[in-house]
C-alpha cells in the first residue's frame, strides 16, 4: 500500500466510538486521529522518592493489607509498601469486591497518582492508575497526553486508539528545507507526530507543535496559491477607465474624499485595468468610507459595459446601500436594482429580466443574488460587503455567474496582518484608516452596572433634548443560569421610563418587523433602540449619538469597536458607555476607551482572545487550524516562501496535475 494512502484508512471502531470521534476529531481516518492534538499533559515520570506532596508519583509497591472502615461513609484504606515506605491508598464510594480485585493481598502493583499528606501520613486518594502487569511500568511512568473528551469516551480510550494508529505511521518525504529544520531544531513529520502523543520531555512538545503548525500554515498557503493561480486567468476584454461618471458623482457627495479613499480607488482601478482577473480585499475602519470606494470601482466596470453585483449580509444593510447608491447616481443614466428575500414575486421577476437583458447596471442584494434563476448579461464585478459573514461556497456561487468577474471583498472588521495572511494568503489588500473630517470622535467611558440608574437618568435628559440612543445587550432572553443582561428584560424596564419612545430589535424578529423598527428609529418615532448585536455592522443613523453596551465584558474588543461605530456618524458629539458587571477586564476596556483605531484594536483583540473568534463569526469555509496559533506563530509566516511555479509545488509530492482542490 502506498505511503500516503495508509494515512487515509478508516480505523475500525464501534458505532458509538465512530460517532464520538468523528465529532471530536473530524473523522476516524488514521490522519484525523493522529492530528488530534492533546489539550494538556501529565508528567508521571517522578518516582516516590523524587515526587513532592501535591505532585504525581509513579511507583511499584507491595499490597500489605486492606483496612475497611469501621463506620459507614468513611474511606476505605489499602496499605502498600514501597522502598520501606508505607503509603495509604484511599477510596470513597468503593466496591470491596472491586478493590480486592484491584489490590490482591500480597500482590505487587504499579500505582500512579497525586501524593497527599493526611494526619502526617502519606496517601493517594483514588489513584489514576493501578496495574498488576509490571511490564507496563515504562509506558505508565511517562508524560501522558490528555485529550478533550465527550460523554462515553475517556482520554485513556482516545490515547489507546491513537497509539494503535502510531504503530503503522509512515515516514513521509520531507518538504521543509534542511536549513529551516536545522535552524529551528525541528524533528521530521513522523517524529513530530509520535512525540506529540508520546513525548520524551515537556520541552519537545512545543517543538513538535511548532513544526506541525508550520506544516499546517504552509499547506494552507500552498492551497491558496494553487486556487489563486487557477483563478488568475487572462481577461478576454480590454478594460479602460475614462472616469465618465466621476465628476457627476463627486458633485453629489456631501463630503470630500479622504486621501486614503483616493489612494484605494487608484490602487483598485489599476488592478481592474490589469490583463488578469482581480481579487482584492478592501479593509476599512468603522466610518472610513468603504462603500464610496466600492461605488467608484463599480463605476469603472459600468464604463466598460459590465454589470456589478453588490452582496451584503442583511436586508436592512442592502436597503441602506441601495437607497444611498441610487440617490448618488440619480444624476446619471445608471440603473440600480435591489434584490432581497423581501422583494415581491413581481419585483423579482422584473429584476431578473433586467439583469439578464443588461438593463440593470448595478444590483444590490443579499443571499438572494446567488439563486440559480439569477442570470447576468455581463457580470464583470462582484463586491461582497462584510465578506466574513458569507461562506466560501456562497461567495463563489455568485462569482461564477460572471465570465471571470473581478472580485472586491470588503470588511469593516480590520484583520491583523498575520490573520489576513492565514485566511487570504497573498491576496491584494487596500486599507482605509483615515476617516472623513466630518466624523467626530466618540467619547468612551466604562461604568459599573451598579450605577445603571444614573445612566438612565442622564439618558432621559439627553433624549428629552432630541438625542437618539442605542442600548445593546448580549442576549435576547433572560437565562436563570447567567447573570447577564437580556434585551427583552431591559426593554421592559426602559419602557417604564421612555414609554412608546423605546423600541427593540433582535434576531428572532421577522425581517419585516426589523425593517419597521429601524424605519421608526430612523424617522424619530422611536428614539431609544434596545438591541442585540444584530445592529453591529453597517446600520447608518447619522443622528444617533449615544451607544450604551450592557455587560461590555461579554464582548470582544473588535465587536465593541463595531458597536461604537454605530454612533458618531454625523457632526454632533457622540458618546459610548460601557456598562460592566462582576469581574472587569480592565486591560480590555481600557484599550477601547483610549483608542479609536480599529486596526490597533484588532491586533490587541487577537492577543487577548486568540485567532479563533477575531472575525466575530464562525463561517462555512473559514479555516480552523489544529496546531497554528496566530498569536504564537506570527514568526512562522516569515519562513514560508511558496514557490511561484505551481509545477514545482506539485513536484514536491510527485503529482502531475492530480491535485483535487
Amino acid at each position: 500500500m502506498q505511503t500516503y494512502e495508509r494515512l487515509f484508512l478508516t480505523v475500525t471502531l464501534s458505532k458509538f466510538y465512530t460517532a464520538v470521534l468523528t465529532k471530536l476529531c473530524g473523522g476516524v481516518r488514521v490522519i484525523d486521529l493522529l492530528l488530534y492534538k492533546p489539550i494538556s499533559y501529565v508528567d508521571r515520570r517522578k518516582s516516590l522518592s523524587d515526587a513532592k506532596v501535591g505532585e504525581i508519583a509513579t511507583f511499584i509497591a507491595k499490597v500489605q493489607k486492606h483496612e475497611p472502615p469501621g463506620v459507614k461513609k468513611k474511606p476505605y484504606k489499602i496499605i502498600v509498601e514501597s522502598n520501606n515506605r508505607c503509603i495509604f491508598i484511599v477510596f470513597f464510594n468503593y466496591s470491596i469486591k472491586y478493590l480486592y480485585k484491584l489490590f490482591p493481598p500480597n500482590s505487587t502493583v504499579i500505582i500512579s497518582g497525586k501524593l497527599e499528606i493526611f494526619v502526617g501520613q502519606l496517601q493517594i486518594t483514588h489513584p489514576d492508575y493501578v496495574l498488576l502487569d509490571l511490564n507496563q511500568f515504562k509506558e505508565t511512568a511517562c508524560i501522558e497526553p490528555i485529550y478533550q473528551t465527550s460523554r462515553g469516551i475517556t482520554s485513556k480510550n482516545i490515547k489507546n486508539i491513537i497509539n494503535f494508529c502510531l504503530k503503522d505511521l509512515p515516514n513521509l518525504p520531507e518538504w521543509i528545507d534542511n536549513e529551516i529544520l536545522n535552524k529551528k531544531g525541528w524533528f521530521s513529520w513522523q517524529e513530530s507526530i509520535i512525540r506529540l502523543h508520546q513525548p520524551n520531555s515537556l520541552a519537545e512538545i512545543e517543538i513538535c507543535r511548532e513544526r506541525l503548525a508550520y506544516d499546517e500554515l504552509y499547506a494552507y498557503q500552498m492551497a491558496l496559491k494553487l486556487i489563486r493561480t487557477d483563478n488568475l486567468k487572462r481577461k478576454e476584454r480590454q478594460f479602460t477607465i475614462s472616469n465618465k461618471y466621476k465628476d457627476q458623482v463627486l458633485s453629489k457627495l456631501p463630503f470630500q474624499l479622504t486621501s486614503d479613499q483616493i489612494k484605494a480607488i487608484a490602487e483598485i482601478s489599476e488592478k481592474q485595468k490589469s490583463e488578469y482577473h482581480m481579487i482584492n480585499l478592501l479593509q476599512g475602519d468603522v466610518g472610513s468610507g468603504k462603500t464610496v470606494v466600492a461605488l467608484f470601482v463599480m463605476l469603472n466596470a459600468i464604463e466598460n459595459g459590465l454589470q456589478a453585483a453588490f452582496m451584503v449580509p442583511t436586508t436592512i444593510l442592502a436597503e441602506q446601500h441601495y437607497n444611498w447608491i441610487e440617490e448618488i447616481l440619480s444624476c446619471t443614466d445608471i440603473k440600480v436594482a435591489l434584490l432581497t428575500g423581501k422583494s415581491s414575486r413581481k419585483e423579482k421577476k422584473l429584476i431578473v429580466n433586467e439583469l439578464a437583458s443588461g438593463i440593470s447596471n448595478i444590483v444590490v442584494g443579499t443571499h438572494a443574488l446567488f439563486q440559480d434563476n439569477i442570470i447576468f448579461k455581463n457580470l464583470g464585478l462582484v463586491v461582497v460587503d462584510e465578506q466574513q459573514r458569507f461562506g466560501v461556497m456562497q461567495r463563489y456561487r455568485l462569482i461564477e455567474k460572471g465570465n471571470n468577474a473581478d472580485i472586491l471583498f470588503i470588511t469593516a472588521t480590520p484583520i491583523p496582518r498575520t490573520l489576513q495572511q492565514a485566511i487570504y494568503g497573498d491576496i491584494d489588500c487596500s486599507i482605509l484608516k483615515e476617516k472623513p473630517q466630518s466624523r467626530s470622535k466618540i467619547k468612551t467611558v466604562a461604568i459599573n452596572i451598579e450605577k445603571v440608574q444614573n445612566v438612565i437618568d442622564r439618558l432621559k435628559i439627553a433624549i428629552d433634548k432630541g438625542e437618539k440612543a442605542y442600548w445593546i445587550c448580549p442576549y435576547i432572553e433572560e437565562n436563570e443560569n447567567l447573570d447577564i443582561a437580556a434585551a427583552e428584560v431591559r426593554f421592559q424596564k426602559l419602557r417604564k421610563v421612555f414609554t412608546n419612545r423605546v423600541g427593540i430589535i433582535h434576531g428572532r424578529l421577522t425581517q419585516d418587523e426589523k425593517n419597521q423598527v429601524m424605519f421608526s428609529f430612523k424617522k424619530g418615532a422611536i428614539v431609544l433602540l434596545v438591541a442585540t448585536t444584530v445592529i453591529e455592522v453597517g446600520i447608518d443613523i447619522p443622528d444617533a449619538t449615544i451607544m450604551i453596551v450592557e455587560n461590555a465584558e461579554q464582548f470582544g474588543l473588535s465587536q465593541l469597536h463595531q458597536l461604537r461605530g454605530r454612533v458618531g456618524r454625523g457632526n454632533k458629539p457622540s458618546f459610548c458607555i460601557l456598562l460592566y458587571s462582576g469581574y472587569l477586564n480592565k486591560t480590555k476596556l481600557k484599550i477601547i476607551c483610549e483608542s479609536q483605531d480599529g486596526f490597533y484594536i484588532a491586533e490587541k483583540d487577537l492577543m487577548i482572545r486568540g485567532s479563533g473568534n477575531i472575525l466575530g463569526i464562525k463561517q462555512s469555509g473559514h479555516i480552523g487550524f489544529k496546531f497554528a496559533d496566530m498569536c504564537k506563530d506570527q514568526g512562522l509566516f516569515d519562513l514560508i516562501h511558496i514557490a511561484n511555479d505551481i509545477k514545482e509545488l506539485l513536484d514536491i509530492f510527485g503529482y502531475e496535475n492530480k491535485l483535487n482542490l
Side-chain angles (χ1 to χ4, degrees):
M1 186 181 294
Q2 292 186 1
T3 302
Y4 292 101
E5 290 177 351
R6 286 153 59 190
L7 289 171
F8 296 94
L9 287 176
T10 300
V11 181
T12 304
L13 298 163
S14 69
K15 190 174 181 180
F16 175 78
Y17 272 10
T18 297
V20 172
L21 288 173
T22 297
K23 179 182 175 182
L24 290 172
C25 311
V28 288
R29 299 174 304 172
V30 171
I31 192 67
D32 297 320
L33 297 166
L34 293 179
L35 296 181
Y36 191 54
K37 184 169 71 74
I39 56 174
S40 63
Y41 295 85
V42 174
D43 191 348
R44 300 190 180 280
R45 295 174 298 170
K46 289 187 177 181
S47 65
L48 190 60
S49 57
D50 293 335
K52 300 175 183 177
V53 173
E55 295 181 333
I56 290 174
T58 304
F59 55 95
I60 296 173
K62 187 170 183 178
V63 179
Q64 298 292 341
K65 66 174 182 176
H66 286 240
E67 286 191 351
V71 182
K72 270 190 175 183
K73 296 187 179 180
K74 289 290 183 178
Y76 189 104
K77 296 181 180 179
I78 301 164
I79 301 173
V80 301
E81 185 264 330
S82 178
N83 292 331
N84 298 319
R85 297 178 70 183
C86 283
I87 305 99
F88 281 79
I89 309 300
V90 180
F91 288 91
F92 295 87
N93 300 320
Y94 48 85
S95 161
I96 295 177
K97 184 178 178 181
Y98 171 73
L99 292 179
Y100 266 92
K101 185 178 179 181
L102 198 61
F103 293 91
N106 299 316
S107 64
T108 303
V109 295
I110 300 170
I111 299 173
S112 184
K114 184 185 289 188
L115 293 179
E116 301 169 343
I117 291 286
F118 183 72
V119 195
Q121 178 60 53
L122 197 63
Q123 71 176 33
I124 295 176
T125 303
H126 289 275
D128 302 319
Y129 288 92
V130 178
L131 303 167
L132 288 166
D133 184 358
L134 301 186
N135 292 323
Q136 292 182 282
F137 182 80
K138 186 176 180 180
E139 61 186 79
T140 306
C142 66
I143 298 174
E144 180 187 14
I146 305 298
Y147 301 91
Q148 184 176 340
T149 61
S150 185
R151 181 176 294 179
I153 193 169
T154 66
S155 180
K156 293 175 186 177
N157 296 146
I158 297 173
K159 182 182 76 169
N160 291 336
I161 294 168
I162 290 176
N163 286 344
F164 173 79
C165 296
L166 286 171
K167 291 177 183 178
D168 197 34
L169 179 63
N171 191 14
L172 303 180
E174 187 57 74
W175 70 343
I176 301 179
D177 293 340
N178 285 330
E179 183 182 347
I180 294 177
L181 285 173
N182 295 332
K183 177 182 177 181
K184 302 294 290 184
W186 288 340
F187 307 112
S188 67
W189 183 84
Q190 180 195 48
E191 193 66 20
S192 295
I193 290 289
I194 292 172
R195 296 194 187 198
L196 182 78
H197 299 288
Q198 298 176 351
N200 295 322
S201 70
L202 294 172
E204 72 183 25
I205 294 170
E206 177 58 21
I207 295 172
C208 295
R209 186 209 65 82
E210 190 180 64
R211 187 253 143 88
L212 294 170
Y214 179 88
D215 287 333
E216 191 170 36
L217 293 172
Y218 188 94
Y220 188 64
Q221 294 294 301
M222 188 173 72
L224 287 175
K225 184 75 174 182
L226 289 166
I227 294 171
R228 183 76 184 275
T229 302
D230 183 58
N231 286 330
L232 197 63
K233 300 171 183 174
R234 289 181 183 273
K235 295 177 181 175
E236 297 175 358
R237 55 186 180 266
Q238 284 290 105
F239 198 102
T240 58
I241 297 177
S242 62
N243 292 320
K244 176 181 176 181
Y245 301 102
K246 183 178 179 181
D247 290 339
Q248 290 172 280
V249 172
L250 284 175
S251 66
K252 288 282 289 184
L253 292 177
F255 51 81
Q256 288 189 327
L257 296 180
T258 66
S259 57
D260 275 2
Q261 287 174 316
I262 294 169
K263 181 182 176 183
I265 292 168
E267 285 177 351
I268 299 170
S269 297
E270 283 301 310
K271 291 163 192 168
Q272 286 180 287
K273 290 193 293 183
S274 166
E275 59 181 321
Y276 291 105
H277 163 67
M278 177 192 81
I279 303 177
N280 200 89
L281 171 67
L282 175 63
Q283 286 195 73
D285 203 349
V286 176
S288 58
K290 299 173 293 298
T291 309
V292 177
V293 174
L295 176 60
F296 280 95
V297 175
M298 289 190 285
L299 293 177
N300 290 340
I302 293 165
E303 284 181 15
N304 285 268
L306 304 171
Q307 292 169 297
F310 195 164
M311 185 166 73
V312 300
T314 67
T315 299
I316 293 174
L317 199 52
E319 291 176 343
Q320 183 176 287
H321 282 329
Y322 167 75
N323 292 332
W324 181 81
I325 291 172
E326 189 179 47
E327 181 184 349
I328 295 297
L329 297 183
S330 60
C331 58
T332 69
D333 57 357
I334 296 171
K335 183 168 179 57
V336 186
L338 173 67
L339 183 63
T340 69
K342 185 187 172 187
S343 303
S344 68
R345 184 175 296 181
K346 184 177 179 181
E347 288 172 330
K348 286 179 182 176
K349 186 176 180 180
L350 176 63
I351 293 168
V352 167
N353 290 335
E354 289 184 344
L355 290 173
S357 63
I359 294 175
S360 288
N361 307 107
I362 296 174
V363 60
V364 181
T366 57
H367 302 71
L369 288 179
F370 53 70
Q371 293 174 356
D372 292 338
N373 66 324
I374 307 298
I375 299 171
F376 293 83
K377 181 180 181 181
N378 196 4
L379 180 62
L381 174 67
V382 173
V383 180
V384 185
D385 194 12
E386 290 308 318
Q387 60 78 33
Q388 72 272 12
R389 291 177 178 251
F390 296 98
V392 172
M393 297 311 297
Q394 290 177 324
R395 298 196 297 253
Y396 278 93
R397 277 177 63 187
L398 176 56
I399 291 162
E400 286 170 356
K401 291 181 179 291
N403 181 18
N404 203 20
D406 288 334
I407 306 163
L408 178 64
F409 294 131
I410 301 178
T411 179
T413 306
I415 305 170
R417 176 181 166 271
T418 50
L419 196 58
Q420 179 191 319
Q421 282 181 290
I423 297 170
Y424 298 104
D426 62 350
I427 191 171
D428 295 322
C429 181
S430 302
I431 294 177
L432 301 179
K433 287 190 175 181
E434 188 181 2
K435 297 179 184 179
Q437 292 183 356
S438 60
R439 292 295 295 264
S440 58
K441 283 196 172 184
I442 304 162
K443 184 176 180 180
T444 307
V445 294
I447 299 175
N448 194 296
I449 191 68
E450 293 175 357
K451 298 180 180 179
V452 66
Q453 189 56 51
N454 293 345
V455 172
I456 293 173
D457 293 342
R458 296 290 296 273
L459 179 62
K460 189 174 187 306
I461 294 171
I463 285 178
D464 288 343
K465 290 181 178 179
E467 306 293 337
K468 285 183 183 177
Y470 297 95
W471 191 300
I472 308 300
C473 298
Y475 295 102
I476 298 174
E477 295 178 340
E478 193 172 26
N479 187 323
E480 60 182 17
N481 297 319
L482 295 172
D483 186 20
I484 295 173
E488 290 182 343
V489 174
R490 179 55 66 191
F491 169 68
Q492 293 299 333
K493 290 179 179 178
L494 291 174
R495 201 171 186 182
K496 294 176 182 178
V497 179
F498 298 96
T499 63
N500 60 352
R501 294 187 297 168
V502 59
I504 184 171
I505 185 169
H506 53 67
R508 290 185 190 166
L509 298 180
T510 66
Q511 196 58 57
D512 284 344
E513 288 172 331
K514 290 178 188 175
N515 291 340
Q516 183 58 48
V517 172
M518 290 308 301
F519 180 80
S520 298
F521 189 50
K522 193 167 189 175
K523 295 301 180 182
I526 292 171
V527 292
L528 174 58
L529 184 61
V530 179
T532 57
T533 53
V534 70
I535 60 95
E536 177 185 343
V537 173
I539 302 302
D540 187 14
I541 310 292
D543 57 346
T545 58
I546 300 170
M547 168 63 67
I548 299 170
V549 183
E550 193 165 352
N551 285 117
E553 71 278 1
Q554 294 292 318
F555 300 93
L557 280 175
S558 291
Q559 198 171 30
L560 288 173
H561 183 58
Q562 289 294 321
L563 289 168
R564 177 171 59 183
R566 296 313 99 215
V567 297
R569 306 181 80 83
N571 53 12
K572 296 171 70 176
S574 295
F575 306 88
C576 178
I577 299 161
L578 306 175
L579 295 174
Y580 64 87
S581 64
Y583 170 72
L584 169 63
N585 186 331
K586 292 183 179 179
T587 302
K588 183 167 80 170
L589 294 193
K590 185 179 180 183
I591 291 167
I592 203 75
C593 289
E594 293 181 351
S595 176
Q596 299 196 27
D597 181 343
F599 290 86
Y600 169 78
I601 289 169
E603 290 284 357
K604 291 294 183 182
D605 206 8
L606 178 63
M607 293 171 63
I608 292 171
R609 293 200 295 159
S611 58
N613 291 311
I614 194 71
L615 294 179
I617 186 164
K618 288 189 179 296
Q619 49 146 343
S620 170
H622 177 49
I623 188 70
F625 293 119
K626 293 177 181 291
F627 300 98
D629 183 303
M630 295 301 102
C631 297
K632 288 183 181 179
D633 300 323
Q634 296 187 30
L636 294 183
F637 283 103
D638 297 330
L639 299 175
I640 296 174
H641 301 288
I642 303 296
N644 290 319
D645 187 351
I646 293 301
K647 185 177 183 302
E648 183 181 337
L649 290 171
L650 298 178
D651 285 345
I652 293 174
F653 300 98
Y655 282 103
E656 293 180 2
N657 299 321
K658 293 180 182 177
L659 200 60
N660 180 21
L661 294 175

